[in-house]
């Protein structure tokens, strides 16, 4: 078997793998990406957050993405019946990027992978990691191509950005269940001919269909719109038939989507994804670091996945560079803790979405601009800004605010 030597082996050519590969390559180290599939490949996760732009910028990907003409995204809109709560990223507490993109991931991920390849990082497609042997922090990884040919890659460090593949957690029994309830999504891309400017293509819309069930509407610059339903898996049992029949029945059941998506042409047969939340005991070890979805993926409601993937890769890449230079790295303090800070902030918001706390806040008649701007920063992905009380006290601030809104309403009713 042939053995190739690199400084860093990156598993997976998704956003987390390519961002990490680019930053480490820029520091002068030899990097190779192995990717199981051939690109372009479908993956869901189409609505980005402004904070991801900082990582994409450091990876020098912004110009290549801009050239693709993806739909620019300026905010996020939440709808429930006739109530609307609209967040515009320009009105946020934390200084930073105030826009981003809505992307077809097949094209977006291929753009990142092609760009990093053009920089000089080989991307080895249709090649799957099947085994890893660690010897201290050095490793030898066995990979297999689609013809069954095996080879080995010796590396001084591994970045595991394998997403739902979860390569290192699976190979080394690091997997742990998430504390979030399992959920299911049914989604498709639609030819959105009845889209109007009033539908504001420059933001994601999340429609509350009923408590615990919501719909994402993510318009692309091509006139195609991604529409997906998310709920407890049992919710879908009341809809029979094929995924397409269920999907069309759901579009018809929701007043917000009924007219616009009636008999809409679908770009592909609706797809189902279930029970995506998973995590691992630790996000690093001797000779490896986990990035992106391999660390923890929560839920699609706040479009946090790609941002957490890019930011974790950005943070990890800088630590890998220091480690390769022979500097000491405190992985717990410098990687695990900040990564968990971001994940846990979003976790509080995800929980507050499903337990109805955010419902009270988003659809209250009493919106205080300062508070709204602070929450807007979280929705823009600025979940490390401790000057924001809705980040610093993410686990209590929302509940307290919802309670205050409730009490104010009671007082108003009594007057
Ligand atoms: P991926 O993008 O999954 O890339 C990992 C790559 O690793 C893949 O290309 C895979 O082929 C490769 N790989 C896997 N195993 C191996 C192996 N053994 N060897 C070699 N390569 C391997 N996020 C958002 O930001 N916005 C959204 O709107 C959003 N919506 C979502 C909706 C749903 C229903 C779900 C489930 C998720 C959503 N997400 C969203 C999350 C988003 O999909 C992920 O967070 C994001 O893709 C993670 O990027 P990544 O680079 O970590 O992994």
């Amino acid at each position: 078997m042939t053995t190739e030597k690199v400084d860093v082996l990156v598993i997976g050519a998704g956003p987390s793998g390519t961002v990490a590969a680019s930053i480490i390559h820029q520091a002068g180290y030899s990097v190779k990406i192995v990717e199981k599939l051939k690109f372009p490949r479908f993956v869901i996760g189409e609505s980005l957050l402004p904070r991801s732009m900082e990582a994409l910028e450091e990876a020098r990907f912004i110009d290549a993405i801009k050239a693709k003409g993806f739909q620019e995204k300026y905010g996020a809109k939440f709808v429930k019946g006739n109530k609307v709560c609209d967040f515009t990223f320009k009105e946020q507490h934390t200084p930073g990027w105030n826009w981003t993109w809505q992307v077809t991931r097949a094209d977006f991920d291929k753009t990142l992978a092609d760009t990093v390849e053009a920089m000089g990082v080989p991307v080895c497609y249709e090649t799957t990691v099947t085994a890893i042997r660690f010897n201290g922090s050095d490793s030898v990884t066995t990979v297999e191509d689609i013809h069954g040919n095996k080879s080995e890659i010796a590396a001084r460090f591994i970045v595991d950005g394998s997403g739902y593949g979860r390569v290192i957690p699976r190979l080394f029994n690091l997997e742990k269940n998430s504390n979030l309830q399992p959920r299911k999504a049914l989604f498709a891309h639609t030819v959105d001919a009845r889209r109007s400017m009033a539908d504001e293509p420059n933001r994601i819309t999340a429609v509350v269909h009923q408590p615990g069930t919501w719909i994402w509407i993510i318009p692309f610059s091509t006139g195609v719109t991604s529409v997906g339903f998310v709920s407890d898996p049992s919710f879908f049992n009341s809809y029979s038939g094929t995924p397409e029949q269920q999907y069309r029945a759901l579009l018809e059941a929701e007043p917000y989507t009924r007219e616009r998506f009636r008999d809409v042409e679908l770009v592909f047969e609706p797809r189902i994804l279930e029970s995506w939340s998973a995590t691992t005991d630790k996000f690093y070890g001797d000779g490896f670091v986990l990035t992106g979805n391999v660390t923890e993926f929560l839920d699609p409601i706040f479009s946090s996945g790609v941002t957490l993937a890019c930011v974790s890769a950005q943070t990890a890449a800088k630590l890998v560079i220091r480690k390769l230079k022979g500097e000491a790295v405190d992985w717990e303090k410098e990687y695990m803790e900040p990564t968990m800070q971001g994940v846990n902030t979003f976790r509080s918001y995800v929980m507050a979405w499903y337990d109805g706390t955010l419902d009270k806040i988003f659809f209250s008649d009493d919106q205080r601009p300062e508070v709204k701007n602070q929450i807007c920063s979280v929705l823009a992905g600025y979940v490390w800004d401790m000057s924001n009380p809705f980040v610093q006290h993410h686990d209590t601030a929302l509940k307290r605010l919802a309670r205050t809104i409730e009490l104010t309403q009671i007082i108003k009713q009594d007057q």
Side-chain angles (χ1 to χ4, degrees):
M1 216 178 332
T2 54
T3 303
E4 183 185 348
K5 279 195 180 150
V6 290
D7 290 321
V8 180
L9 173 67
V10 175
I11 310 173
S16 79
T18 48
V19 165
S22 169
I23 295 173
I24 298 167
H25 167 80
Q26 285 172 45
Y29 293 97
S30 62
V31 183
K32 182 184 180 84
I33 302 180
V34 285
E35 165 55 54
K36 188 163 95 176
L37 301 175
K38 186 176 171 189
F39 276 23
R41 57 90 175 90
F42 182 86
V43 67
I44 195 68
E46 298 148 336
S47 166
L48 310 186
L49 300 181
R51 174 59 181 89
S52 68
M53 306 292 267
E54 288 182 20
L56 294 167
E57 190 174 34
E58 189 161 353
R60 300 189 188 158
F61 289 158
I62 296 284
D63 289 346
I65 306 169
K66 255 187 199 158
K68 293 289 164 179
F70 292 116
Q71 173 64 53
E72 291 183 357
K73 172 183 171 186
Y74 302 125
K77 185 161 85 170
F78 297 84
V79 176
K80 185 185 177 191
N82 57 8
K83 299 218 163 201
V84 175
C85 177
D86 196 13
F87 290 93
T88 299
F89 297 136
K90 270 195 180 139
E91 289 153 19
Q92 59 167 326
H93 166 87
T94 309
W97 285 81
N98 55 26
W99 68 278
T100 183
W101 285 288
Q102 290 162 176
V103 299
T104 41
R105 283 287 302 282
D107 302 317
F108 177 76
D109 289 19
K110 182 156 172 22
T111 305
L112 305 192
D114 287 351
T115 308
V116 82
E117 201 166 25
M119 289 173 182
V121 175
V123 184
C124 207
Y125 291 104
E126 297 182 297
T127 303
T128 304
V129 169
T130 56
I132 303 172
R133 296 190 311 275
F134 281 100
N135 180 10
S137 56
D138 290 339
S139 59
V140 177
T141 296
T142 308
V143 299
E144 191 173 329
D145 70 18
I146 45 161
H147 307 293
N149 301 317
K150 289 188 177 183
S151 59
E152 289 186 334
I153 303 165
R156 294 169 64 197
F157 212 89
I158 297 179
V159 175
D160 183 358
S162 62
Y164 304 104
R166 310 179 61 70
V167 170
I168 288 186
R170 284 202 173 133
L171 288 177
F172 296 95
N173 290 325
L174 302 176
E175 292 204 277
K176 207 168 88 176
N177 288 334
S178 158
N179 64 348
L180 293 171
Q181 271 185 35
R183 295 209 159 77
K184 175 170 165 174
L186 175 67
F187 56 91
H189 286 175
T190 65
V191 179
D192 192 7
R194 287 186 284 264
R195 181 198 291 177
S196 71
M197 284 323 281
D199 297 317
E200 293 177 287
N202 54 24
R203 58 236 296 112
I204 182 175
T205 302
V207 182
V208 181
H209 176 58
Q210 62 179 55
T213 304
W214 62 277
I215 306 161
W216 78 66
I217 301 176
I218 305 173
F220 302 129
S221 55
T222 52
V224 166
T225 294
S226 175
V227 184
F229 293 81
V230 181
S231 188
D232 185 275
S234 62
F235 164 80
F236 294 91
N237 297 343
S238 41
Y239 289 85
S240 56
T242 62
E244 179 168 344
Q245 286 165 333
Q246 289 185 9
Y247 186 74
R248 291 194 185 279
L250 279 158
L251 288 171
E252 196 63 32
E254 167 53 48
Y256 193 88
T257 52
R258 191 176 296 147
E259 304 285 324
R260 176 168 162 193
F261 296 104
R262 181 170 290 151
D263 300 324
V264 74
E265 185 188 333
L266 302 181
V267 177
F268 55 77
E269 170 85 356
R271 298 177 189 214
I272 293 169
L273 273 176
E274 257 185 280
S275 304
W276 45 70
S277 303
T279 185
T280 59
D281 272 332
K282 54 179 193 161
F283 298 168
Y284 62 92
D286 206 4
F288 73 87
V289 63
L290 313 179
T291 57
N293 259 24
V294 192
T295 59
E296 177 155 10
F297 173 64
L298 298 164
D299 191 273
I301 178 60
F302 296 117
S303 309
S304 56
V306 172
T307 297
L308 290 174
C310 293
V311 177
S312 61
Q314 181 188 23
T315 311
K318 290 178 191 166
L319 297 174
V320 171
I321 293 165
R322 276 179 39 205
K323 165 87 184 146
L324 294 177
K325 282 184 183 160
E327 293 172 19
V329 174
D330 183 342
W331 288 95
E332 187 63 29
K333 275 221 125 17
E334 297 180 77
Y335 188 65
M336 186 84 190
E337 287 179 14
T339 305
M340 284 313 290
Q341 156 65 31
V343 170
N344 283 335
T345 303
F346 274 117
R347 189 194 318 277
S348 294
Y349 281 69
V350 169
M351 289 171 126
W353 172 257
Y354 286 104
D355 73 12
T357 305
L358 279 175
D359 204 273
K360 288 178 194 140
I361 296 170
F362 285 178
F363 303 114
S364 151
D365 294 329
D366 182 18
Q367 303 272 350
R368 284 172 35 206
E370 184 198 345
V371 166
K372 196 169 173 193
N373 293 358
Q374 289 164 343
I375 293 177
C376 186
S377 281
V378 174
L379 304 186
Y382 285 93
V383 288
W384 292 272
D385 175 9
M386 290 301 173
S387 77
N388 183 348
F390 285 87
V391 170
Q392 195 183 4
H393 308 292
H394 58 83
D395 47 346
T396 53
L398 293 172
K399 287 241 162 355
R400 237 183 285 136
L401 176 60
R403 187 75 194 123
T404 309
I405 289 169
E406 263 176 342
L407 290 173
T408 314
Q409 276 165 357
I410 293 169
I411 293 165
K412 271 189 189 157
Q413 277 159 13
D414 286 353
Q415 279 169 352

